[in-house]
Amino acid sequence: QVQLVESGGGDVQPGGSLRLSCAASRFPFSWYTMKWYRQAPGKERELVAGIVGGSSGSTNYADSVKGRFTISRDNAKTAVYLQMNSLRPEDTAIYYCNVLIGKTDYWGQGTQVTVSS
């Protein structure tokens, strides 16, 4: 079964940085678009960033994180990353790794990011 495991979350002060990792397994990773979502308490889950699979590697970002976050992938390691810089309190959320395979969305367990002073 598809497996996604996030790590790298934690507590950070405003303006700080974190790098999230998602270890993927049990599917042909390099072929698929990978995405990061986040969900804050009381809010709907929102798409943060995506990176296209295959030979493309193109990326896209939510307007709220453009210029601050960078998504990347290492197909040899079957991992996707989210580098988060200039963090703000409103970035506080649980961050989830996601892949859509056919008609099914697969999710990791999430990793908590808390930005506070």
Side-chain angles (χ1 to χ4, degrees), residues 35-86:
K35 298 176 182 177
W36 285 98
Y37 286 77
R38 67 186 182 188
Q39 187 167 27
K43 296 184 178 180
E44 292 194 10
R45 190 170 297 187
E46 64 173 340
L47 177 64
V48 175
I51 183 164
V52 176
S55 61
S56 174
S58 63
T59 59
N60 62 87
Y61 300 91
D63 287 342
S64 60
V65 307
K66 284 181 180 177
R68 300 189 298 121
F69 291 10
T70 303
I71 189 171
S72 62
R73 68 193 298 159
D74 186 332
N75 287 334
K77 295 181 178 179
T78 66
V80 61
Y81 308 98
L82 186 68
Q83 178 67 46
M84 306 185 296
N85 299 326
S86 302

